[in-house]
Amino acid sequence: MEYLIIDAHAHLWAKQDTVWNGMKISPLPNGRSMFLGNEVQMCPPFMIDGKNTAEVFLSNMDYAQVAGSVVTQEFIDGIQNDYYKTVNAQYGDRLKCLYMLDYMNGEFTLPQGGWEGVVIPGHRIYKDGVRMPINGEEFMKMFKEMEKRGLILSLCLEDNEQTAEFREVIQECPELKVAIGHFGMPTEQTWYEQVKLAENENVMVESGGITWLYNSEFYPFPTAVKKIKEAADMVGIEKLMWGSDYPRTITAITYKMSYDFVLKTNELTDNEKRLFLGENAKKFYGFGELEVPKYVKNMSE
């Protein structure tokens, strides 16, 4: 069975040079970064110039036979709207790059033209050491405008308190389309409440970073598979989407391995795999007709 595979959670940046919560994040040679006081392998070592470009990502997508991707943002990478606008113009048939506002500095005015969605890394929205309420007046006004304009919200949540705040947002904005990131953090006690948000008609959950969360058990990530199955039992497989959290996750595994464990499991049916790996994201994000990249035999085969 040939699967249409769409990545619902990836990242790109022209240059990762920023400050978050008063701490510096800057590129180092060979895919490394200075990250909040520590040197880390932020990207695979072949990304030697500190850039995480669309062209390298598309090459990985072609190799792994991934047809399309949603490209989200994180404050730890710096706001990449200018670069994402260029990527959308060049590769918008396969890559849907989302916009991010500088919420902590009072930016809540939505962009005009050409953008299909907006990102909020809810676990990062701290001002003077205090997390901003996601159901606060400024956020709520923005969400209502997004609902009116049909913009999609890509959102990561931190804990049950923030999840409860966002539940109020959904009640106020029932037509707002939302993708909950990082699979609702299945390693945390907050997981059940986050997944249950997808009981609402326009809320989805995507699995970006799930291989990172279960990195200690490594491929084929049996607990990650069990969590996917458990979430499907809770809200239905049609509410779930695969995501990789590229490129950080492929410092430990290949890009293809970030979904191959789903293909190989016997815990999911072929139809469940088809929906989870691509068809749900195609429908939710409104991708057009996508070609499955052709398979090219490895030299080692």
Side-chain angles (χ1 to χ4, degrees):
M1 181 177 182
E2 186 176 80
Y3 295 87
L4 175 72
I5 301 175
I6 295 175
D7 188 343
H9 188 124
H11 298 275
L12 298 174
W13 56 80
K15 186 178 182 180
Q16 187 192 51
D17 191 2
T18 189
V19 173
W20 180 76
N21 206 20
M23 292 178 282
K24 184 73 173 172
I25 302 165
S26 56
L28 296 171
N30 302 328
R32 299 170 186 169
S33 291
M34 182 56 63
F35 179 68
L36 310 181
N38 298 298
E39 181 178 355
V40 299
Q41 191 72 45
M42 181 68 66
C43 296
F46 57 76
M47 293 184 181
I48 60 174
D49 58 1
K51 298 179 180 180
N52 170 30
T53 66
E55 289 76 17
V56 172
F57 184 35
L58 286 164
S59 180
N60 273 280
M61 288 170 61
D62 287 345
Y63 176 75
Q65 296 183 278
V66 175
S69 179
V70 179
V71 186
T72 184
Q73 296 201 49
E74 248 275 26
F75 285 114
I76 62 172
D77 301 328
I79 294 175
Q80 300 291 325
N81 295 328
D82 289 343
Y83 180 54
Y84 279 21
K85 185 176 182 179
T86 300
V87 173
N88 278 337
Q90 287 186 276
Y91 308 112
D93 57 332
R94 295 184 67 187
L95 302 178
K96 289 182 180 285
C97 297
L98 307 183
Y99 196 90
M100 188 167 69
L101 294 156
D102 189 0
Y103 310 104
M104 284 85 80
N105 288 311
E107 186 182 4
F108 288 89
T109 302
L110 293 171
Q112 296 296 323
W115 298 94
E116 298 184 37
V118 172
V119 180
I120 299 179
H123 57 310
R124 306 273 188 209
I125 51 172
Y126 281 81
K127 187 173 183 179
D128 300 325
V130 179
R131 189 174 65 204
M132 303 171 71
I134 206 163
N135 59 347
E137 182 178 351
E138 291 177 309
F139 275 116
M140 193 65 77
K141 182 180 179 181
M142 186 184 75
F143 292 140
K144 289 181 179 179
E145 180 64 19
M146 289 180 64
E147 181 184 37
K148 181 180 178 181
R149 289 169 52 178
L151 296 176
I152 295 173
L153 173 63
S154 174
L155 173 71
C156 294
L157 295 167
E158 187 169 31
D159 53 25
N160 278 335
E161 180 182 1
Q162 194 175 50
T163 302
E165 290 175 357
F166 194 70
R167 193 174 293 111
E168 293 183 13
V169 173
I170 296 171
Q171 291 170 354
E172 289 287 321
C173 305
E175 301 301 316
L176 178 65
K177 295 180 69 175
V178 184
I180 303 296
H182 296 315
F183 215 54
M185 294 300 291
T187 55
E188 303 294 330
Q189 292 182 347
T190 61
W191 182 62
Y192 294 96
E193 293 304 313
Q194 289 200 39
V195 171
K196 285 195 293 186
L197 292 173
E199 293 173 344
N200 296 276
E201 181 180 0
N202 293 301
V203 179
M204 303 284 284
V205 179
E206 47 90 343
S207 72
I210 198 168
T211 60
W212 157 64
L213 294 172
Y214 295 104
N215 181 66
S216 61
E217 68 178 26
F218 205 63
Y219 184 92
F221 307 106
T223 305
V225 172
K226 290 178 181 178
K227 289 295 184 179
I228 294 167
K229 185 66 175 175
E230 189 175 352
D233 290 340
M234 281 196 287
V235 296
I237 193 67
E238 69 279 358
K239 303 306 294 286
L240 309 178
M241 303 181 289
W242 169 70
S244 70
D245 210 6
Y246 173 101
R248 283 176 270 269
T249 48
I250 64 166
T251 57
I253 58 175
T254 67
Y255 184 47
K256 186 174 183 178
M257 288 169 72
S258 65
Y259 74 81
D260 190 62
F261 74 98
V262 176
L263 284 183
K264 296 294 196 300
T265 184
N266 293 321
E267 297 296 315
L268 299 169
T269 67
D270 278 343
N271 187 55
E272 287 174 328
K273 294 174 185 179
R274 179 181 62 81
L275 293 173
F276 178 71
L277 288 173
E279 293 296 337
N280 291 339
K282 182 178 187 291
K283 179 180 179 181
F284 183 73
Y285 281 101
F287 279 92
E289 291 305 311
L290 293 168
E291 290 187 14
V292 176
K294 68 177 182 179
Y295 175 75
V296 178
K297 185 179 179 180
N298 287 324
M299 280 290 293
S300 59
E301 291 182 84

